[in-house]
Amino acid sequence: VSVGASYQDEMLAVSGRLEYRTEDGLVAGSSVDADTFLIASDMSYKFSNEARFIGCLDYARTETDQGSLLDGEYGEVVLGYAFRPIMDDQLNVLARYRYLHDMYGQRVDGVDENGPRQRSHVLSVNAIYDLNEHWAVAGKLGYRMAETSPDETAAFVQNDAYLLAGSLTYHLVHEWDAMVEVRNFTTVQAGTS
C-alpha cells in the first residue's frame, strides 16, 4: 500500500510518500516473510530567486522472521541552504547538514549478514567565487561526526573525519576549463590523512 502527495507553487515545493509492504514466501526452503514501512519526503522553499532552503526526510524499517532476510532500519535527514545570485553570480554558496542512521548495513560478498552500520552527522559548506571572467576559486569544508560498527555484533565506535578542498579554475574557452585542486581528508580517531 502506497500513498503519495505533492504540492508546488512559486515559492514552495513539497512531496511525500508513505508505504507499507508485506512479503511472504519461501526461497530454497527458507522463509522470506518481511514487513517494511517507508517514509520519503522532499521540500524546497525559495526565499527569492537567488536563495532557497531544501530538506528531505527518508525513513525505512524492515522487520523479518530472521529467515533469509534481515531486520533493519534506515533514516536520513538533509537540510540545506543554497545562495545562487541571478544578476551577479560572482559568489555561489551551498551549506548542508545531513543525519544518517543506517542499521541495515550492507550485503557483503553475497552473504546475507549485516555489514557496516553507522550513525553520523555531516556538516558541509561549498563556495565558488568568480575573481573575473576567466578565474574562479572554490572551496569545500566538511565535517563528519560518526559512530560506526563493522556488523551487528560489534559495538559502535567514534569515527569522525573532516575534508578540506580548494580549487582554482581558469575558463579557457566556451565549455573548456583548466583546474587545479587540492584535497585533504583526515580521519580523527584513526589518525590518517
Side-chain angles (χ1 to χ4, degrees):
V1 176
S2 183
V3 176
S6 64
Y7 171 82
Q8 184 170 349
D9 62 26
E10 289 186 20
M11 304 298 277
L12 177 66
V14 180
S15 66
R17 181 170 50 106
L18 295 173
E19 185 174 298
Y20 174 75
R21 180 173 61 223
T22 183
E23 300 166 280
D24 302 306
L26 291 173
V27 173
S30 296
S31 177
V32 290
D33 300 341
D35 294 318
T36 300
F37 175 72
L38 170 76
I39 298 172
S41 63
D42 287 298
M43 188 268 294
S44 174
Y45 180 78
K46 288 171 46 173
F47 296 102
S48 67
N49 287 330
E50 299 179 336
R52 72 181 59 208
F53 173 81
I54 58 168
C56 80
L57 167 67
D58 296 323
Y59 177 78
R61 180 172 182 80
T62 301
E63 293 180 358
T64 70
D65 60 2
Q66 287 296 315
S68 62
L69 298 175
L70 300 174
D71 289 346
E73 185 176 45
Y74 175 88
E76 180 181 35
V77 175
V78 176
L79 302 173
Y81 175 78
F83 177 71
R84 298 178 182 138
I86 296 171
M87 300 304 288
D88 177 12
D89 66 346
Q90 189 171 20
L91 174 66
N92 288 272
V93 177
L94 175 63
R96 188 172 88 152
Y97 164 77
R98 178 182 186 217
Y99 174 71
L100 179 65
H101 176 86
D102 183 2
M103 298 300 115
Y104 276 104
Q106 305 171 17
R107 183 176 170 130
V108 180
D109 295 328
V111 177
D112 273 330
E113 293 181 5
N114 282 346
R117 302 173 302 152
Q118 71 169 306
R119 297 184 292 239
S120 62
H121 300 270
V122 179
L123 294 168
S124 65
V125 178
N126 297 31
I128 300 172
Y129 183 77
D130 291 332
L131 299 171
N132 56 41
E133 64 184 37
H134 292 289
W135 292 96
V137 295
K140 178 173 186 168
L141 172 62
Y143 181 73
R144 179 191 73 202
M145 183 174 61
E147 293 179 314
T148 59
S149 166
D151 57 45
E152 71 221 15
T153 61
F156 279 93
V157 296
Q158 202 66 31
N159 188 4
D160 301 341
Y162 61 86
L163 172 71
L164 299 170
S167 67
L168 179 64
T169 303
Y170 181 73
H171 306 293
L172 297 165
V173 293
H174 182 65
E175 296 185 5
W176 286 88
D177 296 336
M179 182 181 72
V180 174
E181 183 176 62
V182 61
R183 299 179 193 178
N184 179 32
F185 178 74
T186 300
T187 56
V188 177
Q189 284 75 21
T192 63
S193 181

